[in-house]
């Protein structure tokens, strides 16, 4: 492409676009239509120039023009309660539903890993001895020991807040660190399953596995599901970096990253509910069956929320990404 000829042919359009942008809100209907048409043509011009030449001054001017024109055409808006309602009833559950092929296998494999670790520790006294001295193990697993008093060691409200903060941080780390080729997410998952497996192994060796599960299941079902969703989303984000598919790597990562950010906000609410259960229900005087029933009810409610509301929204085209008007402009690719 002859740059000088191209600039000469289109300079008048760029100057006209700049003039219209300088008019601000004082545009007639015809001028507004003209501005939209010039914005679209200038975006195409910019794409062609970027793909065929390297003129930083011209590219900089056109980039600025396109950005200003897009802001004028799309305008700005403030988030409203309607946006929050749409996020909770469509965006978030749809994003969780669409990523189910990642987090469901993650959940199954993680639970199996925790069970294997628990069996290995419970069946091998020498492994237990490597974890702690016999007296310390008895202190942890005896009735009224550390595993039981942990959930009532602090006032319920402050304990729930602490649990929520810790779990939200773990979920956020899974979501963010997924961009590092999945490895940190796998490590975080392994540490969580290792801690769970150790508890299962030690309490089963003491003949008190039913007590341990009675303490873990009320809050653990929903809590672990949220962690698995975060981990699965993080792994999906990391795989997008490896294999972006038909999109450019930048575009694919941006889309998944925006969806992951929304997931972080939604999972914070889920973990808040889990933290409330752990702070107020788990250490309560309710019968074990009642505490477990509350945990199962919370888990089923979340799964119904994802598979019913989320499935319906996903089939309607919802992806969990932000609205088109709120995304950064993507220039059309040159043919």
């Amino acid at each position: 492409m002859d740059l000088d000829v191209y600039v000469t042919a289109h300079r008048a359009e760029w100057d006209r676009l700049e003039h219209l942008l300088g008019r601000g809100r004082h545009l007639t209907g015809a001028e507004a239509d003209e501005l939209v048409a010039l914005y679209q043509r200038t975006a195409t011009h910019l794409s062609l120039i970027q793909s065929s030449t390297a003129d930083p001054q011209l590219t900089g001017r056109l980039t600025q023009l396109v950005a200003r024109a897009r802001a004028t055409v799309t305008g700005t808006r403030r988030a409203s309660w309607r946006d929050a309602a749409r996020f909770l009833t469509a965006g978030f559950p749809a994003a969780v539903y669409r990523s189910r092929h990642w987090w469901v296998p993650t959940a199954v494999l993680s639970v199996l890993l925790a069970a294997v670790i628990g069996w290995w520790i419970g069946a091998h006294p020498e492994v237990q001895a490597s974890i702690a001295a016999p007296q310390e193990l008895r202190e942890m697993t005896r009735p009224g020991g550390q595993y039981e008093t942990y959930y009532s060691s602090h006032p319920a409200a402050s304990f729930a807040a602490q649990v929520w903060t810790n779990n939200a941080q773990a979920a956020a780390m899974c979501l963010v660190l997924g961009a590092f080729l999945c490895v940190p997410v796998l490590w975080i998952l392994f540490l969580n399953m290792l801690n769970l497996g150790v508890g299962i192994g030690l309490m089963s060796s003491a003949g008190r596995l039913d007590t341990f599960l009675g303490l873990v299941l009320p809050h653990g079902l929903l809590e672990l599901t949220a962690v698995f969703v975060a981990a699965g989303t993080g792994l999906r984000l990391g795989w997008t970096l490896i294999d972006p598919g038909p999109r450019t790597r930048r575009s694919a990562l941006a889309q998944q990253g925006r969806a992951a950010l929304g997931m972080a906000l939604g999972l914070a609410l889920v973990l808040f509910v889990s933290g409330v259960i752990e702070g107020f229900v788990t250490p309560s005087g309710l019968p074990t069956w009642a505490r477990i029933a509350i945990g199962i009810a919370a888990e089923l409610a979340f799964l119904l929320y994802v598979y019913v509301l989320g499935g319906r929204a996903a089939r309607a085209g919802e992806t969990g990404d932000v609205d088109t008007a709120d995304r950064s402009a993507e220039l059309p690719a040159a043919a």
Side-chain angles (χ1 to χ4, degrees):
M1 180 177 68
D2 190 322
L3 183 61
D4 292 334
V5 173
Y6 195 81
V7 171
T8 301
H10 298 289
R11 187 191 301 275
E13 292 177 291
W14 305 336
D15 291 341
R16 177 61 176 167
L17 177 59
E18 190 166 21
H19 172 73
L20 292 175
L21 290 173
R23 295 278 306 278
R25 297 178 179 272
H26 307 289
L27 296 175
T28 65
E31 287 174 333
D33 292 340
E34 183 184 6
L35 187 147
V36 172
L38 288 172
Y39 157 59
Q40 294 172 337
R41 288 204 294 270
T42 303
T44 303
H45 298 161
L46 176 57
S47 178
L48 290 169
I49 289 172
Q50 286 179 320
S51 64
S52 58
T53 66
D55 187 327
Q57 184 175 358
L58 178 60
T59 301
R61 184 199 175 191
L62 294 185
T63 299
Q64 185 181 34
L65 275 177
V66 170
R68 290 175 58 197
R70 179 181 183 277
T72 301
V73 170
T74 61
T76 57
R77 65 183 183 88
R78 296 180 179 178
S80 64
W81 286 108
R82 183 177 298 177
D83 295 318
R86 178 178 175 274
F87 169 74
L88 291 175
T89 59
F92 172 60
V96 178
Y97 178 82
R98 290 172 66 90
S99 64
R100 68 193 185 282
H101 298 302
W102 286 88
W103 63 263
V104 171
T106 298
V108 172
L109 293 176
S110 297
V111 171
L112 286 176
L113 175 62
V116 169
I117 292 174
W119 168 82
W120 182 57
I121 293 175
H124 296 81
E126 66 275 12
V127 177
Q128 301 168 30
S130 69
I131 295 174
Q135 184 176 355
E136 294 175 330
L137 294 177
R138 284 193 297 271
E139 181 60 30
M140 285 190 288
T141 59
R142 68 175 177 82
Q146 293 175 9
Y147 272 116
E148 292 185 40
T149 58
Y150 168 77
Y151 295 102
S152 57
S153 57
H154 300 284
S158 62
F159 183 70
Q162 178 184 352
V163 167
W164 175 59
T165 301
N166 292 339
N167 290 332
Q169 287 177 345
M173 288 176 64
C174 286
L175 290 167
V176 173
L177 296 178
F180 294 92
L181 302 179
C182 306
V183 175
V185 178
L186 295 175
W187 179 246
I188 293 172
L189 268 179
F190 173 74
L191 291 180
N192 275 273
M193 293 306 101
L194 177 62
N195 288 333
L196 178 60
V198 168
I200 292 173
L202 294 181
M203 290 294 276
S204 65
S205 68
R208 308 193 67 234
L209 181 59
D210 56 339
T211 300
F212 180 76
L213 294 179
L215 292 170
V216 170
L217 290 180
H219 63 273
L221 290 173
L222 188 60
E223 176 185 300
L224 286 176
T225 300
V227 171
F228 295 146
V229 171
T233 304
L235 292 173
R236 185 184 187 187
L237 184 63
W239 186 253
T240 299
L241 188 62
I242 298 171
D243 181 15
R247 301 165 293 177
T248 65
R249 182 168 281 104
R250 179 179 179 181
S251 175
L253 193 60
Q255 180 180 349
Q256 293 298 335
R258 290 190 298 264
L261 179 60
M263 295 271 277
L265 297 175
L267 289 176
L269 296 177
V270 176
L271 288 170
F272 174 77
V273 175
S274 171
V276 170
I277 295 174
E278 188 168 359
F280 291 91
V281 175
T282 298
S284 71
L286 291 172
T288 300
W289 67 265
R291 289 186 280 112
I292 293 178
I294 291 173
I296 292 174
E299 174 73 359
L300 289 177
F302 177 71
L303 293 177
L304 287 173
Y305 168 71
V306 169
Y307 278 88
V308 176
L309 280 183
R312 184 185 305 150
R315 287 187 291 273
E318 179 66 56
T319 65
D321 198 357
V322 298
D323 289 337
T324 304
D326 295 325
R327 303 175 197 168
S328 300
E330 293 184 10
L331 298 173

